[in-house]
Amino acid sequence: MTVLHSAPRWSSNEGVKDALAASLGAMLVSADEEHGEILLTVARESVEDALRLLRDAHEYQQLMDIAGVDYPQRPERFDVCYCLLSVTKNHRVIVKVSTDEATPVPTVTTLWPNAGWYEREVYDMFGVLFAGNSDLRRILTDYGFQGHPFRKDFPLTGYVELRYSEEDKRVVYEPVQLAQDLRQFDFMSPWEGADYVLPGDEKAAAPAPAAPAPAPKMETPKTTDKPADTGAGEKANAEAAKPVAEAAAPAVTKTDEPAAPEPTEDRPAKKPRAKKVADTDGATEPADKPKRTRAKKTDGEGA
């Protein structure tokens, strides 16, 4: 059975940005379309009214997520992004506001109850405050945790470390004893790459190929065509000129060697063995015992 749904399978962004920008009016700071998504930047103090308008007048019923972004080089370093979904239109928009470390953002728990968990997560990871949230506590890090891990200037090893103390019989927190530095960023595009050599990249630089070694010169082979070329003297030349037969090994003097032993007499042949008995009974029983005769079976016996 075919199930029909009022929401389209695919929604276009055509005309959406202009319609939402006209509806938000003075609350809107900028409207952009990036990476196939509508991005609306609104004033921080008007974020609750802007989201209520999008929910009630433009059918963006669901708050899917609240995310934080950190830009340390800006005076208002944090962006708080609200991801909205329209179930009836099958369309999404992103609304964002800017703030700093001390200025709170109005809560939207009055519009969506699930915003309380999302705002706690942004507070825990980035340290952004939300005015009106009655339960703004850490949600991901542990009790007594110092700092906010998703800030770009947060140390890689943190500020404190925990261990189990045998003396206190509990988990204790202590300052990190490792030598650490804050992370430094040049805010360049990761796809373009840095203009300087990063630590460790100098090892990847291939050395310039060495020039090929010159080919060795072929020297004229030395030969001893004449006796004067050997340099060994007249006596050595005379010995070398003798034929090979004369330079044979010295003759071996003959000595008296013992003669080979005389051959021994042939071993006398054994007597032939007696003929074996073919019957088994006769071979295993005494000779004086009478032999047993086997009776032949007749038809019908043993049936």
Side-chain angles (χ1 to χ4, degrees), residues 227 230 232-248:
T230 61
E234 296 180 358
K235 294 183 178 180
N237 293 337
E239 292 294 332
K242 292 181 179 180
V244 178
E246 296 183 7

Side-chain angles (χ1 to χ4, degrees), residues 267-291:
R267 185 176 180 178
K270 292 183 179 181
K271 296 180 179 180
R273 298 179 62 180
K275 186 177 181 180
K276 295 182 180 180
V277 180
D279 194 353
T280 305
D281 294 339
T284 57
E285 295 179 359
D288 55 351
K289 186 177 180 179
K291 296 182 180 181

Side-chain angles (χ1 to χ4, degrees), residues 133-153:
N133 190 321
S134 59
D135 191 20
L136 197 62
R137 297 177 292 124
R138 291 185 180 271
I139 192 173
L140 296 178
T141 56
D142 201 357
Y143 299 103
F145 191 88
Q146 298 180 13
H148 304 280
F150 279 8
R151 289 187 178 184
K152 294 295 182 63
D153 55 1

Side-chain angles (χ1 to χ4, degrees), residues 173-294:
Y173 290 84
E174 297 175 342
V176 175
Q177 302 297 330
L178 301 176
Q180 59 179 340
D181 296 326
L182 298 180
R183 290 179 285 180
Q184 304 295 332
F185 295 86
D186 52 13
F187 309 110
M188 297 180 60
S189 171
W191 307 109
E192 298 175 359
D195 296 334
Y196 51 87
V197 179
L198 297 175
D201 287 354
E202 68 277 359
K203 301 177 182 179
K217 294 183 178 180
M218 297 298 295
E219 299 181 355
T220 304
K222 295 182 179 181
T223 57
T224 55
D225 298 334
K226 295 182 296 182
D229 296 336
T230 61
E234 296 180 358
K235 294 183 178 180
N237 293 337
E239 292 294 332
K242 292 181 179 180
V244 178
E246 296 183 7
V252 179
T253 56
K254 295 182 179 180
T255 57
D256 295 336
E257 296 179 357
E262 297 292 337
T264 58
E265 297 179 357
D266 294 337
R267 185 176 180 178
K270 292 183 179 181
K271 296 180 179 180
R273 298 179 62 180
K275 186 177 181 180
K276 295 182 180 180
V277 180
D279 194 353
T280 305
D281 294 339
T284 57
E285 295 179 359
D288 55 351
K289 186 177 180 179
K291 296 182 180 181
R292 293 179 300 174
T293 58
R294 296 180 180 180

